[in-house]
Amino acid sequence: MASSTTALVITIATIAAFHFSSPSHAADFCIADLKGAQGPAGYSCKNPANVTVHDFVFAGLGVAGNTSNTINAAVTPAFSTQFPGLNGLGLALARVDIAPGGVIPFHIHPAASEVFHVLQGKVISGLVDASNKVYLTTLKKGDIMVFPRGLLHFQVNSGKSTAIIIASFSGAEPGLQLIDYALFANELPSELLEKSTFLDHVQVKKLKGVFGGSG
C-alpha cells in the first residue's frame, strides 16, 4: 500500500512539473496591447511576434514632473498604460516630485500597498492606522517606508531642494483617493460639510475655492 501511494505521489508530481514547465501552459509575459480595451485583469496580450526589448523598458520616470500646482508636487505613473511590460504582473510604479514646502496630502490606495523609496531630498512622512495611531518620521536619501493597503498616509518636503521618490505598488491598479479633494472638490452642499467636518462656513468656502468645489 505504501509503495502504491509513493508511486502515485511521484506520478502526480511528474505530471505537475511537466504541466507547469510546458511552453504551452502559459506565456512568459503578456505585454499590453494598448489598442484593446482594459479590463479588470488588465489589457489583452500583444502578439508575441511583435514584442521587442522596448516593451520591457520605460524611460518616463527619468523626467521630472511639473510641481507648479496647488500642492507643489507631481506624480508620474508607470502603470500598464504607460509601461505595457507591467501588464499582468500585478505591479505598478510612479515617480513623485515634491518641491520645497510641497505636500502629498492625506490619501489612500484602496487596492495596493506602497513602498516609498527616497532618491533625493528630505521628506516628513507619516501614516495613520485603523486605531488612529500615527507613525511619523523624516526620510532622507536612500530611506524606504512602506504603507499598507488602505491606510491614510502623507508626505511633506522638509528640505531645501526638490525631493524625488520612486513609489512601488503591489497591485497593477492601486487606486488613489486624496482626502482633501474628496471633501472639497465636489458639489456636496457646504452646510453638510460644515456639520460633518466641524469646520465653519468661512473655512469650508475657502477650501472649496482652493480645490475647485462648489455647492
Side-chain angles (χ1 to χ4, degrees):
M1 179 67 179
S3 60
S4 298
T5 302
T6 302
L8 178 60
V9 170
I10 292 174
T11 300
I12 293 173
T14 303
I15 293 173
F18 175 80
H19 179 63
F20 286 107
S21 63
S22 172
S24 63
H25 172 65
D28 292 323
F29 48 80
C30 179
I31 304 299
D33 181 1
L34 300 181
K35 295 179 182 179
Q38 185 179 21
Y43 290 93
S44 58
C45 301
K46 185 177 181 180
N47 187 333
N50 297 326
V51 172
T52 72
V53 67
H54 301 293
D55 291 309
F56 298 95
V57 179
F58 180 68
L61 299 190
V63 180
N66 182 4
T67 59
S68 299
N69 51 52
T70 301
I71 61 175
N72 295 318
V75 177
T76 304
F79 295 0
S80 296
T81 301
Q82 296 82 25
F83 187 7
L86 289 179
N87 190 52
L89 300 182
L91 300 171
L93 299 164
R95 170 179 171 145
V96 183
D97 292 271
I98 312 175
V103 57
I104 302 294
F106 267 114
H107 62 283
I108 63 169
H109 302 291
S113 297
E114 175 184 359
V115 175
F116 191 83
H117 181 196
V118 179
L119 301 183
Q120 172 183 300
K122 187 166 65 171
V123 179
I124 296 173
S125 184
L127 65 91
V128 182
D129 69 14
S131 68
N132 296 321
K133 182 175 181 179
V134 177
Y135 298 85
L136 185 66
T137 189
T138 297
L139 303 174
K140 61 184 183 303
K141 179 180 178 179
D143 289 344
I144 296 174
M145 188 169 183
V146 64
F147 304 108
R149 181 176 64 182
L151 292 188
L152 280 168
H153 56 287
F154 74 96
Q155 292 86 30
V156 176
N157 185 342
S158 59
K160 297 181 179 180
S161 62
T162 297
I164 302 174
I165 301 96
I166 295 296
S168 305
F169 300 95
S170 63
E173 294 292 335
L176 171 66
Q177 185 171 37
L178 290 157
I179 304 306
D180 291 326
Y181 285 87
L183 290 173
F184 303 109
N186 55 45
E187 299 176 355
L188 189 66
S190 294
E191 57 268 26
L192 293 179
L193 272 175
E194 292 160 20
K195 289 183 179 297
S196 61
T197 63
F198 302 102
L199 297 173
D200 63 35
H201 181 72
V202 174
Q203 292 171 316
V204 168
K205 184 177 179 179
K206 177 183 176 180
L207 290 168
K208 278 182 171 286
V210 170
F211 294 105
S214 62

